[in-house]
Amino acid sequence: MQKVLILTYYWPPASGPGVQRFLKFCKYLPEFGWKPYVVTVENGTYSSVDETLLKDIPEQVQVIKTRTNEPFGIYNRLTGKEKKSGTVGMLNMDSGQNPIKQMSLYARANYFIPDARKGWNRYAYKAAKAVIEKENINIIITTGPPHSTHLIGKRLKENLGVRWLADFRDPWTNIFYNEALPRTLNTQKKDKTLEDSVLKSADKVTVVSDGLKDEFADRTEPTVIYNGFDVDDLAYQPWEDKNRKFTLSHVGNLMPGQNIEELWQALKELKDEYEEFGAQIKLSFTGNVDDGILASLDKYDLTDMAHIDGYVPHLEATKAMMTADMLLFVIPDTKRNELIITGKLFEYIASRTPILGIGPTDGNAAQILRNAHRNPMVDFSDKADIKKQLLVAFTKWQEADAPFKHDEKDLEKFSRKGLTGQLAHLLDELNAEKVKA
């Protein structure tokens, strides 16, 4: 069996799409002839943790954890947050901050390039070098964000001659939350130089969307490997009886860019126009919710409809997807958001629950929804269409004896096992190139 070393900051007990991507790759890589070794951080700063994910780490995967040195401990002490917490994108990091938060944002934006996890690099490099030399590993993978992880891969390639695959789950310099950071022109230039150096140095580059492939195409030839769903995580049967209230659910974190006024206005108008709608709808939020969104719910008199669970373990999150009557999917309203897909979209689709998608109608996520035969994406400003999709789904719920579910057509192409096969093929190519060299 061939060996591959994976460097990833996000690993259980951290939670989120970044964790799921490589946890699932590691689960299925041995079936394709590859034994994974993982270098990760011992005590990272995460927005949320899921201890249940620890049991999902495959027995055959050797995990090496290292120290790290990050600024979040100091920041959290100054702002009164928990020691190991970290922000989710720009969750609750709006411009109206107190002076300490404003100074922290400026420091984060301009003194930690490309990101505030770069303090992990020297520890991770040392650990990776030791594993490579001990196990005679010739191929490595780095995955970002944090994109500082790719700088470890670049150094390992330069110093040890390993073949290197760089995996991008999000854009680098054009990632959406950079718009909210007070970055200087010099910072932006330095960050772009680092991005270019990684894209041009990596032997192979993988991305999660066609739009991200296009963004990098002038500097490399990326391969698209989607995030996906694992059938083992969706082993729940839908409820035999439909919910007592029509349940519109958002599963995952809701950030400032997802505070869509037209959505709240549409819900408010439906509540006022149809007495039954107001009495029989439940807004369910599973995950962290930005304070600005909570304020909007209050502004539009929707708080009485809302039920906020906060963070839950992954399997509970997928169960929420399976048992909802409609799932809310909102692309952040930011520049270049046509590239954004998010990992949960594939689990949304695999749950077979109807989806209300709000975002760019010509974006990558919209195309995936079309390919999966789901309702078309609704533009942020199209309140009328948002109301229409909500009312149609609510009416079907009223009339049906059991929950409506889409069929399973074309779901296999988004399975984690099949996507791991695509990654294994690239590793096989790198291995063949190494042998020839």
Side-chain angles (χ1 to χ4, degrees), residues 344-358:
K344 72 165 174 266
L345 176 57
F346 301 100
E347 290 180 326
Y348 267 28
I349 292 170
S351 75
R352 299 168 52 218
T353 303
I355 299 169
L356 170 61
I358 302 174

Side-chain angles (χ1 to χ4, degrees), residues 401-416:
D401 294 327
F404 172 79
K405 291 290 177 180
H406 290 281
D407 61 33
E408 299 182 5
K409 184 177 181 181
D410 295 334
L411 289 182
E412 182 58 30
K413 61 187 175 184
F414 298 133
S415 73
R416 293 283 190 183

Side-chain angles (χ1 to χ4, degrees), residues 12 30 105 308 331 359 381 435-436:
L105 274 180
I308 301 173
I331 295 289
S381 62
V435 171
K436 290 179 182 179

Side-chain angles (χ1 to χ4, degrees), residues 281-292:
I281 185 170
K282 171 184 174 182
L283 303 181
S284 175
F285 300 96
T286 303
N288 299 308
V289 180
D290 180 72
D291 289 344

Side-chain angles (χ1 to χ4, degrees), residues 295-316:
S296 291
L297 293 175
D298 185 61
K299 174 183 175 181
Y300 289 103
D301 194 27
L302 302 174
T303 303
D304 61 328
M305 293 180 176
H307 180 84
I308 301 173
D309 286 325
Y311 169 78
V312 299
H314 182 67
L315 289 181
E316 289 186 36

Side-chain angles (χ1 to χ4, degrees), residues 164-166 168 195-207 212-223:
W164 168 36
L165 184 152
F168 289 81
E195 179 187 58
D196 289 345
S197 71
V198 164
L199 290 171
K200 293 176 181 178
S201 299
D203 297 294
K204 288 189 182 293
V205 172
T206 53
V207 294
L212 198 49
K213 176 182 178 179
D214 293 341
E215 178 169 328
F216 293 157
D218 59 335
R219 289 157 287 174
T220 187
E221 296 181 7
T223 298

Side-chain angles (χ1 to χ4, degrees), residues 171 174 176 179 257 260 330-341 358-366 377 379-380:
N174 288 324
F176 70 93
E179 296 179 33
I260 309 302
V330 183
I331 295 289
D333 190 6
T334 60
K335 293 179 181 178
R336 302 180 63 78
N337 59 359
E338 70 276 3
L339 305 180
I340 298 174
I341 293 178
I358 302 174
T361 57
D362 59 349
N364 291 176
M377 187 78 80
D379 186 79
F380 298 107

